[in-house]
PDB file of all heavy atoms in Angstrom:
ATOM      1  N   THR A  66      19.348 -21.627   7.980  1.00 80.00           N
ATOM      2  CA  THR A  66      20.578 -21.090   8.552  1.00 80.00           C
ATOM      3  C   THR A  66      20.983 -19.879   7.736  1.00 80.00           C
ATOM      4  O   THR A  66      21.227 -19.990   6.541  1.00 80.00           O
ATOM      5  CB  THR A  66      21.698 -22.135   8.526  1.00 80.00           C
ATOM      6  OG1 THR A  66      21.284 -23.278   9.281  1.00 80.00           O
ATOM      7  CG2 THR A  66      22.969 -21.566   9.132  1.00 80.00           C
ATOM      8  N   LEU A  67      21.016 -18.730   8.370  1.00 95.00           N
ATOM      9  CA  LEU A  67      21.367 -17.500   7.676  1.00 95.00           C
ATOM     10  C   LEU A  67      22.853 -17.224   7.839  1.00 95.00           C
ATOM     11  O   LEU A  67      23.379 -17.248   8.946  1.00 95.00           O
ATOM     12  CB  LEU A  67      20.551 -16.331   8.235  1.00 95.00           C
ATOM     13  CG  LEU A  67      19.030 -16.435   8.079  1.00 95.00           C
ATOM     14  CD1 LEU A  67      18.344 -15.239   8.744  1.00 95.00           C
ATOM     15  CD2 LEU A  67      18.638 -16.513   6.612  1.00 95.00           C
ATOM     16  N   LYS A  68      23.520 -16.975   6.741  1.00 96.00           N
ATOM     17  CA  LYS A  68      24.933 -16.636   6.750  1.00 96.00           C
ATOM     18  C   LYS A  68      25.068 -15.166   6.376  1.00 96.00           C
ATOM     19  O   LYS A  68      24.977 -14.794   5.208  1.00 96.00           O
ATOM     20  CB  LYS A  68      25.699 -17.530   5.771  1.00 96.00           C
ATOM     21  CG  LYS A  68      25.637 -19.007   6.136  1.00 96.00           C
ATOM     22  CD  LYS A  68      26.414 -19.862   5.142  1.00 96.00           C
ATOM     23  CE  LYS A  68      26.359 -21.343   5.530  1.00 96.00           C
ATOM     24  NZ  LYS A  68      27.080 -22.197   4.556  1.00 96.00           N
ATOM     25  N   TRP A  69      25.287 -14.337   7.388  1.00 97.00           N
ATOM     26  CA  TRP A  69      25.329 -12.897   7.176  1.00 97.00           C
ATOM     27  C   TRP A  69      26.708 -12.459   6.698  1.00 97.00           C
ATOM     28  O   TRP A  69      27.734 -12.931   7.179  1.00 97.00           O
ATOM     29  CB  TRP A  69      24.984 -12.164   8.464  1.00 97.00           C
ATOM     30  CG  TRP A  69      23.590 -12.430   8.946  1.00 97.00           C
ATOM     31  CD1 TRP A  69      23.208 -13.314   9.914  1.00 97.00           C
ATOM     32  CD2 TRP A  69      22.386 -11.819   8.478  1.00 97.00           C
ATOM     33  NE1 TRP A  69      21.846 -13.295  10.087  1.00 97.00           N
ATOM     34  CE2 TRP A  69      21.314 -12.378   9.217  1.00 97.00           C
ATOM     35  CE3 TRP A  69      22.103 -10.848   7.517  1.00 97.00           C
ATOM     36  CZ2 TRP A  69      19.988 -11.997   9.017  1.00 97.00           C
ATOM     37  CZ3 TRP A  69      20.788 -10.453   7.319  1.00 97.00           C
ATOM     38  CH2 TRP A  69      19.748 -11.030   8.063  1.00 97.00           C
ATOM     39  N   GLN A  70      26.714 -11.542   5.746  1.00 96.00           N
ATOM     40  CA  GLN A  70      27.942 -10.937   5.246  1.00 96.00           C
ATOM     41  C   GLN A  70      27.613  -9.546   4.734  1.00 96.00           C
ATOM     42  O   GLN A  70      26.432  -9.213   4.556  1.00 96.00           O
ATOM     43  CB  GLN A  70      28.549 -11.788   4.133  1.00 96.00           C
ATOM     44  CG  GLN A  70      27.618 -12.054   2.970  1.00 96.00           C
ATOM     45  CD  GLN A  70      28.201 -13.041   1.969  1.00 96.00           C
ATOM     46  OE1 GLN A  70      29.317 -13.526   2.122  1.00 96.00           O
ATOM     47  NE2 GLN A  70      27.438 -13.341   0.937  1.00 96.00           N
ATOM     48  N   PRO A  71      28.611  -8.676   4.530  1.00 96.00           N
ATOM     49  CA  PRO A  71      28.301  -7.316   4.079  1.00 96.00           C
ATOM     50  C   PRO A  71      27.471  -7.311   2.798  1.00 96.00           C
ATOM     51  O   PRO A  71      27.710  -8.099   1.878  1.00 96.00           O
ATOM     52  CB  PRO A  71      29.687  -6.704   3.837  1.00 96.00           C
ATOM     53  CG  PRO A  71      30.582  -7.464   4.770  1.00 96.00           C
ATOM     54  CD  PRO A  71      30.054  -8.869   4.769  1.00 96.00           C
ATOM     55  N   CYS A  72      26.486  -6.434   2.745  1.00 95.00           N
ATOM     56  CA  CYS A  72      25.629  -6.323   1.562  1.00 95.00           C
ATOM     57  C   CYS A  72      26.423  -5.751   0.389  1.00 95.00           C
ATOM     58  O   CYS A  72      27.398  -5.022   0.580  1.00 95.00           O
ATOM     59  CB  CYS A  72      24.442  -5.408   1.851  1.00 95.00           C
ATOM     60  SG  CYS A  72      23.261  -6.061   3.037  1.00 95.00           S
ATOM     61  N   PRO A  73      26.011  -6.054  -0.833  1.00 89.00           N
ATOM     62  CA  PRO A  73      26.679  -5.461  -2.004  1.00 89.00           C
ATOM     63  C   PRO A  73      26.644  -3.936  -1.945  1.00 89.00           C
ATOM     64  O   PRO A  73      25.602  -3.348  -1.652  1.00 89.00           O
ATOM     65  CB  PRO A  73      25.845  -5.993  -3.176  1.00 89.00           C
ATOM     66  CG  PRO A  73      25.203  -7.250  -2.669  1.00 89.00           C
ATOM     67  CD  PRO A  73      24.949  -7.006  -1.209  1.00 89.00           C
ATOM     68  N   HIS A  74      27.786  -3.334  -2.182  1.00 87.00           N
ATOM     69  CA  HIS A  74      27.921  -1.875  -2.240  1.00 87.00           C
ATOM     70  C   HIS A  74      27.485  -1.197  -0.937  1.00 87.00           C
ATOM     71  O   HIS A  74      27.031  -0.053  -0.941  1.00 87.00           O
ATOM     72  CB  HIS A  74      27.107  -1.308  -3.412  1.00 87.00           C
ATOM     73  CG  HIS A  74      27.300  -2.030  -4.710  1.00 87.00           C
ATOM     74  ND1 HIS A  74      28.509  -2.048  -5.371  1.00 87.00           N
ATOM     75  CD2 HIS A  74      26.437  -2.789  -5.449  1.00 87.00           C
ATOM     76  CE1 HIS A  74      28.384  -2.770  -6.475  1.00 87.00           C
ATOM     77  NE2 HIS A  74      27.149  -3.231  -6.538  1.00 87.00           N
ATOM     78  N   ASP A  75      27.647  -1.896   0.172  1.00 91.00           N
ATOM     79  CA  ASP A  75      27.182  -1.351   1.451  1.00 91.00           C
ATOM     80  C   ASP A  75      28.052  -0.197   1.922  1.00 91.00           C
ATOM     81  O   ASP A  75      29.273  -0.230   1.806  1.00 91.00           O
ATOM     82  CB  ASP A  75      27.178  -2.451   2.513  1.00 91.00           C
ATOM     83  CG  ASP A  75      26.825  -1.902   3.883  1.00 91.00           C
ATOM     84  OD1 ASP A  75      25.685  -1.450   4.023  1.00 91.00           O
ATOM     85  OD2 ASP A  75      27.699  -1.895   4.767  1.00 91.00           O
ATOM     86  N   LYS A  76      27.409   0.842   2.474  1.00 90.00           N
ATOM     87  CA  LYS A  76      28.121   1.985   3.050  1.00 90.00           C
ATOM     88  C   LYS A  76      27.617   2.337   4.451  1.00 90.00           C
ATOM     89  O   LYS A  76      28.052   3.329   5.024  1.00 90.00           O
ATOM     90  CB  LYS A  76      27.982   3.201   2.127  1.00 90.00           C
ATOM     91  CG  LYS A  76      28.641   3.016   0.763  1.00 90.00           C
ATOM     92  CD  LYS A  76      28.481   4.267  -0.095  1.00 90.00           C
ATOM     93  CE  LYS A  76      29.150   4.077  -1.459  1.00 90.00           C
ATOM     94  NZ  LYS A  76      28.969   5.283  -2.331  1.00 90.00           N
ATOM     95  N   ILE A  77      26.672   1.540   4.985  1.00 93.00           N
ATOM     96  CA  ILE A  77      26.087   1.905   6.278  1.00 93.00           C
ATOM     97  C   ILE A  77      26.203   0.773   7.303  1.00 93.00           C
ATOM     98  O   ILE A  77      25.601   0.849   8.372  1.00 93.00           O
ATOM     99  CB  ILE A  77      24.604   2.305   6.121  1.00 93.00           C
ATOM    100  CG1 ILE A  77      23.766   1.111   5.639  1.00 93.00           C
ATOM    101  CG2 ILE A  77      24.454   3.488   5.187  1.00 93.00           C
ATOM    102  CD1 ILE A  77      22.270   1.355   5.745  1.00 93.00           C
ATOM    103  N   GLY A  78      26.962  -0.274   7.000  1.00 94.00           N
ATOM    104  CA  GLY A  78      27.112  -1.373   7.940  1.00 94.00           C
ATOM    105  C   GLY A  78      25.986  -2.384   7.881  1.00 94.00           C
ATOM    106  O   GLY A  78      25.727  -3.086   8.868  1.00 94.00           O
TER     107      GLY A  78
END
Side-chain angles (χ1 to χ4, degrees):
T66 300
L67 298 177
K68 298 180 179 179
W69 297 99
Q70 56 187 359
C72 292
H74 313 295
D75 175 65
K76 296 181 180 178
I77 64 168

